[in-house]
Amino acid sequence: MAVDELDTRILRLLLEQPRTSVREYARVLGVARGTLQARLDRMERDGVITGTGPSLSPAALGHPVLAFVHIEVTQGHLDDVGDALAAVPEIVEAFSITGGGDLLARVVGRDNAHLEDVIQKLISLPGVVRTRTEVALRERVPYRLLPLVESVGRASRA
Protein backbone atom coordinates (compact mmCIF):
# COMPACT_ATOMS: atom_id res chain seq x y z
CA MET A 1 0.00 0.00 0.00
CA ALA A 2 1.40 3.38 -0.97
CA VAL A 3 1.48 5.99 1.79
CA ASP A 4 1.42 9.51 0.40
CA GLU A 5 2.27 12.84 2.02
CA LEU A 6 -1.21 13.36 3.50
CA ASP A 7 -1.19 9.83 4.94
CA THR A 8 2.19 10.59 6.49
CA ARG A 9 0.86 13.78 8.07
CA ILE A 10 -2.15 11.87 9.42
CA LEU A 11 0.04 9.12 10.87
CA ARG A 12 2.33 11.69 12.47
CA LEU A 13 -0.64 13.32 14.21
CA LEU A 14 -1.95 9.94 15.37
CA LEU A 15 1.43 9.13 16.90
CA GLU A 16 2.05 12.56 18.43
CA GLN A 17 -1.52 13.29 19.60
CA PRO A 18 -3.29 9.92 19.97
CA ARG A 19 -6.16 11.24 22.09
CA THR A 20 -7.31 13.94 19.67
CA SER A 21 -10.63 13.70 17.83
CA VAL A 22 -10.99 13.05 14.11
CA ARG A 23 -12.63 16.47 13.76
CA GLU A 24 -9.59 18.14 15.34
CA TYR A 25 -7.17 16.16 13.16
CA ALA A 26 -9.08 17.33 10.08
CA ARG A 27 -8.95 20.94 11.27
CA VAL A 28 -5.20 20.79 11.96
CA LEU A 29 -4.51 19.18 8.57
CA GLY A 30 -6.86 21.50 6.70
CA VAL A 31 -8.87 18.68 5.11
CA ALA A 32 -12.52 17.69 5.23
CA ARG A 33 -13.51 15.35 8.05
CA GLY A 34 -14.86 12.88 5.46
CA THR A 35 -11.51 12.88 3.63
CA LEU A 36 -9.65 12.22 6.85
CA GLN A 37 -12.06 9.45 7.88
CA ALA A 38 -11.76 7.80 4.45
CA ARG A 39 -7.97 7.86 4.73
CA LEU A 40 -8.07 6.38 8.24
CA ASP A 41 -10.49 3.67 7.13
CA ARG A 42 -8.28 2.78 4.15
CA MET A 43 -5.13 2.63 6.28
CA GLU A 44 -6.91 0.39 8.79
CA ARG A 45 -8.23 -1.85 6.02
CA ASP A 46 -4.75 -2.06 4.45
CA GLY A 47 -3.14 -2.92 7.80
CA VAL A 48 -1.10 0.28 8.16
CA ILE A 49 -3.02 1.23 11.31
CA THR A 50 -3.32 -1.87 13.46
CA GLY A 51 -4.72 -0.56 16.72
CA THR A 52 -6.01 2.43 18.58
CA GLY A 53 -5.73 1.33 22.20
CA PRO A 54 -3.43 2.78 24.84
CA SER A 55 0.18 1.73 25.25
CA LEU A 56 0.64 0.10 28.63
CA SER A 57 3.77 -0.27 30.72
CA PRO A 58 4.45 -3.75 32.12
CA ALA A 59 6.78 -2.10 34.68
CA ALA A 60 3.96 0.15 35.93
CA LEU A 61 1.79 -2.98 36.16
CA GLY A 62 4.32 -4.50 38.58
CA HIS A 63 6.46 -6.39 36.04
CA PRO A 64 9.67 -4.35 35.62
CA VAL A 65 11.91 -7.25 34.55
CA LEU A 66 12.11 -7.69 30.78
CA ALA A 67 13.75 -10.63 29.07
CA PHE A 68 14.00 -12.06 25.58
CA VAL A 69 13.70 -15.83 25.56
CA HIS A 70 14.89 -17.88 22.58
CA ILE A 71 12.94 -21.12 22.45
CA GLU A 72 14.09 -24.17 20.54
CA VAL A 73 11.21 -26.45 19.53
CA THR A 74 11.03 -30.09 18.50
CA GLN A 75 10.39 -30.37 14.76
CA GLY A 76 6.71 -30.38 13.93
CA HIS A 77 5.64 -28.74 17.22
CA LEU A 78 6.05 -25.06 16.38
CA ASP A 79 2.31 -24.34 16.18
CA ASP A 80 1.56 -26.27 19.36
CA VAL A 81 4.24 -24.45 21.32
CA GLY A 82 3.15 -21.12 19.86
CA ASP A 83 -0.41 -21.80 20.99
CA ALA A 84 0.81 -22.77 24.46
CA LEU A 85 2.83 -19.54 24.74
CA ALA A 86 -0.37 -17.55 24.23
CA ALA A 87 -1.67 -19.01 27.50
CA VAL A 88 1.24 -17.57 29.53
CA PRO A 89 0.27 -14.03 30.61
CA GLU A 90 3.88 -12.92 31.15
CA ILE A 91 4.64 -13.43 27.46
CA VAL A 92 3.80 -10.12 25.84
CA GLU A 93 5.02 -11.03 22.33
CA ALA A 94 6.36 -14.06 20.51
CA PHE A 95 7.74 -14.47 17.01
CA SER A 96 8.88 -17.34 14.80
CA ILE A 97 12.51 -16.61 13.94
CA THR A 98 15.53 -17.85 12.05
CA GLY A 99 18.91 -18.31 13.65
CA GLY A 100 19.47 -19.45 17.22
CA GLY A 101 16.10 -20.91 18.06
CA ASP A 102 12.65 -21.28 16.59
CA LEU A 103 10.73 -18.72 18.64
CA LEU A 104 11.64 -15.47 20.34
CA ALA A 105 9.44 -14.32 23.21
CA ARG A 106 9.39 -11.01 25.04
CA VAL A 107 8.74 -11.97 28.65
CA VAL A 108 8.10 -9.80 31.69
CA GLY A 109 8.38 -10.63 35.37
CA ARG A 110 7.85 -9.10 38.79
CA ASP A 111 11.46 -9.87 39.71
CA ASN A 112 14.23 -12.28 38.70
CA ALA A 113 12.73 -15.14 40.72
CA HIS A 114 9.37 -14.70 39.00
CA LEU A 115 11.14 -14.58 35.63
CA GLU A 116 12.83 -17.89 36.48
CA ASP A 117 9.41 -19.39 37.32
CA VAL A 118 8.05 -18.27 33.96
CA ILE A 119 11.05 -19.74 32.13
CA GLN A 120 10.64 -23.04 34.01
CA LYS A 121 7.00 -23.05 32.87
CA LEU A 122 8.20 -22.58 29.27
CA ILE A 123 10.76 -25.37 29.54
CA SER A 124 8.05 -27.76 30.75
CA LEU A 125 5.84 -27.17 27.69
CA PRO A 126 5.55 -30.22 25.42
CA GLY A 127 7.73 -29.67 22.36
CA VAL A 128 10.19 -27.23 23.98
CA VAL A 129 13.74 -28.56 23.75
CA ARG A 130 15.62 -25.70 25.44
CA THR A 131 15.54 -21.99 26.08
CA ARG A 132 18.15 -19.24 26.18
CA THR A 133 17.31 -16.07 28.09
CA GLU A 134 18.71 -12.57 27.75
CA VAL A 135 17.64 -10.06 30.39
CA ALA A 136 17.26 -6.45 29.26
CA LEU A 137 19.17 -4.01 31.45
CA ARG A 138 17.90 -0.69 30.11
CA GLU A 139 15.77 0.44 27.20
CA ARG A 140 17.96 2.44 24.83
CA VAL A 141 15.47 3.12 22.02
CA PRO A 142 11.82 2.88 23.00
CA TYR A 143 9.36 1.35 20.58
CA ARG A 144 8.68 4.02 18.01
CA LEU A 145 7.39 4.34 14.50
CA LEU A 146 7.52 8.10 13.86
CA PRO A 147 11.04 8.04 12.30
CA LEU A 148 9.90 5.24 9.96
CA VAL A 149 6.71 7.13 9.05
CA GLU A 150 8.76 10.23 8.30
CA SER A 151 11.18 8.20 6.17
CA VAL A 152 8.32 6.67 4.19
CA GLY A 153 6.83 10.14 3.76
CA ARG A 154 10.12 11.50 2.40
CA ALA A 155 10.38 8.57 -0.01
CA SER A 156 6.83 9.22 -1.29
CA ARG A 157 7.81 12.79 -2.18
CA ALA A 158 10.92 11.70 -4.08
Side-chain angles (χ1 to χ4, degrees):
M1 184 228 132
V3 175
D4 65 16
E5 187 173 347
L6 178 55
D7 292 335
T8 301
R9 291 173 52 214
I10 292 168
L11 292 170
R12 177 185 197 93
L13 272 178
L14 287 173
L15 291 169
E16 291 178 340
Q17 302 172 31
R19 297 180 69 160
T20 302
S21 69
V22 171
R23 177 175 289 170
E24 181 62 13
Y25 289 145
R27 187 193 67 73
V28 168
L29 293 169
V31 299
R33 184 182 180 283
T35 300
L36 179 67
Q37 189 63 58
R39 294 286 186 121
L40 290 171
D41 291 345
R42 178 181 48 80
M43 287 190 282
E44 283 182 17
R45 195 173 48 253
D46 292 347
V48 174
I49 298 172
T50 58
T52 57
S55 291
L56 304 178
S57 165
L61 292 170
H63 290 71
V65 177
L66 170 64
F68 299 93
V69 180
H70 297 260
I71 304 167
E72 188 176 321
V73 177
T74 305
Q75 279 191 324
H77 289 87
L78 189 61
D79 290 339
D80 296 335
V81 173
D83 292 344
L85 295 180
V88 180
E90 294 86 359
I91 294 180
V92 295
E93 288 183 299
F95 302 90
S96 297
I97 61 169
T98 63
D102 300 299
L103 295 164
L104 177 65
R106 181 187 301 247
V107 181
V108 295
R110 292 185 300 272
D111 52 35
N112 286 345
H114 180 231
L115 176 64
E116 181 182 10
D117 293 341
V118 173
I119 292 166
Q120 290 302 319
K121 187 184 302 183
L122 298 181
I123 292 169
S124 70
L125 293 174
V128 172
V129 175
R130 73 177 52 85
T131 65
R132 188 180 88 243
T133 303
E134 298 165 353
V135 176
L137 300 176
R138 181 181 302 161
E139 182 177 67
R140 297 295 180 164
V141 178
Y143 182 82
R144 77 242 168 92
L145 289 175
L146 187 55
L148 178 62
V149 167
E150 291 173 340
S151 173
V152 169
R154 282 191 301 274
S156 75
R157 291 189 295 267

